Structure formats: structure tokens, C-alpha cells
Amino acid sequence: MTLGRATIHPEYAASVLDELAAGDAVFTVDTGVSNVWAARYLTPNGRRRVIGSFLHGTMANALPRAIGAQFAYAGRQVISMSGDGGLGMLMGELLTVKLHDLPVKTIVINNSSLGMVKLEMLVEGLPEHETDHEPVDYAAIARSAGIEAIRIEHPGDVVEGLKRALAHDGPFLVDLVTDANALSIPPHISAAQVKGFAFAAGRTVLDGGVGKMLDLARANLRNIPRP
Ligand SMILES: Cc1ncc(C[n+]2csc(CCOP(=O)(O)OP(=O)(O)O)c2C)c(N)n1
Ligand SMILES: [Mg+2]
């Protein structure tokens, strides 16, 4: 149960990033819930760029794209919005960032989960299985590669942490520990998805996971519009 522990809502972190990022920043976004938060919270202004694999859905593209973008636009702020799964897959690219001393800002949306796939499974009626995993300290990994990094675990530290990262003159990684239960609710929900989700919830409860479902509900009730 997560009761009483303040967790970082990824939506909040994305909106802070939107406010603090440069007017001509280049954002690269991983396939997963990162591209949902990017699409919803990054304000387009005609000068910014958002690069992602929105249609094809290739995983782990944010960091390699950020490397390319930073080489192409040496003077621009380049921000990689990486999923923890995505970064885990192409983690060696942190060494490329360091090797070329690229001032890429890697923001890891670290939910210790293949979050998007968990959601896809739930709406298909499948209880979460093998999509969550043990926490990984990506800040420690970055530091061991010589990249300056911070790990942010509390909502009150998001603004200062992101400010510090964006102001840093060189590569920087922010390990942003977000609420693993935060669901990216689609703008349109089909009856089949509702049915699948209810079925998965029922199966989870019958399997002894009532606490899990309560945590999930508690984390997402805030998204339901109130009059
Ligand atoms: C090469 C490849 N493998 C698997 C997938 C399926 N897939 C899409 S999103 C995703 C989860 C990615 O995890 P993470 O980067 O942590 O993203 P998040 O938790 O934010 O959804 C997976 C496995 C894919 N799109 N491409
Ligand atoms: Mg993840």
C-alpha cells in the first residue's frame, strides 16, 4: 500500500519540465508513457521540436535521438525523456553521451515498470504480469559513467532538481522516480477496453490482489473529472 507516501505524478513532472525548458528546446521521447506525457504537457511554440516514435512505436529511441539532435544542434538544449525500460535497453548510449561530452539532459521517467505494456495488458483483460520490476538507481549508474546526476523521489524536489539539471553545462541525468500506478488514461475509451480492464481487475482481486487494485484506484481517481 502506498498510503501516506507522496509519490511524484509524472503529469506534474512533465508540466514542470515544460515550464522550465528552453523556448527552442529539442525533446526526444521514448515509446511508453513518456510520449503520452510529452504529447499532453509540452507546449508547442513553433521553435521547439518533439521527436519520437509515435506511430511505429520503437522502444528506447529517446537517448540515441537526443545524441543525434545534440550533434546537429550543438547550441540547443536537448532533453531526452527516457522511460526506465527504454534507457535500460540502450543504456550503453550514456557512454556515448559522456565520450563526446554532449550536454544532453536525460530525464528518466522511472516507474520501475514497462508501464505502457502493463496498461495494454489490463485493457485486454490480462492482470499485470512481469511488467513491474525491482527499482534501479539510474543516477548511480550515470555517475559511475562520469555523468553528473540526481535522483528525485519527492514531489517537492522536482522544480529545483530540474532547474539544476537544465542549468548544468554538460551531460546530466535526472532519475525521476514516479508513481508506478499512474495510468495514462486515453482520451477515448472503448467499451471493449472498459470490459477488459474490469475483467483484469476482477481476476487480480480474485487472485488475492485487492490491495493492488485499491492502490491503482487511489493513484488514478484524481484523473476523473469532478463537477
Ligand atoms: C523493440 C520493442 N520492444 C517492445 C516494445 C513494446 N513496448 C512498448 S512501450 C514498452 C514499455 C517501455 O517501458 P518504459 O521505457 O519504462 O516506458 P513506460 O514505463 O514509461 O511505459 C514496451 C515493452 C516496443 N514497442 N518495441
Ligand atoms: Mg517505465
Side-chain angles (χ1 to χ4, degrees), residues 2-209:
T2 54
L3 204 60
R5 204 188 64 199
T7 50
I8 299 173
H9 296 158
E11 301 94 314
Y12 167 66
S15 70
V16 172
L17 184 64
D18 178 50
E19 262 175 48
L20 297 179
D24 66 346
V26 179
F27 299 88
T28 61
V29 297
D30 259 349
T31 298
V33 294
S34 290
N35 60 11
V36 178
W37 308 135
R40 288 188 188 165
Y41 291 95
L42 299 182
T43 309
N45 61 5
R47 292 182 300 133
R48 283 180 168 180
R49 289 288 300 270
V50 178
I51 306 171
S53 180
F54 290 93
L55 208 59
H56 190 57
T58 298
M59 217 178 128
N61 59 86
L63 189 55
R65 281 183 162 159
I67 291 169
Q70 193 75 83
F71 269 121
Y73 300 99
R76 271 168 88 168
Q77 185 179 70
V78 176
I79 301 172
S80 172
M81 292 175 70
S82 298
D84 55 314
L87 185 62
M89 222 164 149
L90 282 185
M91 205 154 56
E93 294 307 322
L94 285 176
L95 304 184
T96 311
V97 169
K98 177 62 189 168
L99 179 70
H100 298 286
D101 209 23
L102 296 169
V104 167
K105 312 301 178 232
T106 305
I107 316 288
V108 191
I109 314 292
N110 191 351
N111 54 7
S112 295
S113 177
L114 302 171
M116 180 64 99
V117 170
K118 177 158 80 173
L119 187 60
E120 283 171 346
M121 286 168 65
L122 285 171
V123 297
E124 287 294 325
L126 300 167
E128 172 260 309
H129 179 69
E130 298 285 336
T131 44
D132 290 352
H133 51 81
E134 291 294 307
V136 173
D137 188 340
Y138 282 101
I141 290 173
R143 272 188 222 111
S144 70
I147 294 174
E148 206 165 316
I150 47 170
R151 183 167 165 94
I152 307 180
E153 300 184 63
H154 302 289
D157 299 331
V158 171
V159 173
E160 281 316 306
L162 288 180
K163 272 187 187 165
R164 184 181 150 198
L166 295 178
H168 183 71
D169 184 21
F172 201 101
L173 182 141
V174 178
D175 191 8
L176 197 68
V177 181
T178 60
D179 187 352
N181 279 319
L183 298 176
S184 56
I185 317 270
H188 305 290
I189 302 174
S190 71
Q193 286 172 332
V194 173
K195 199 171 145 201
F197 193 90
F199 190 55
R203 286 174 71 180
T204 304
V205 170
L206 289 177
D207 205 31

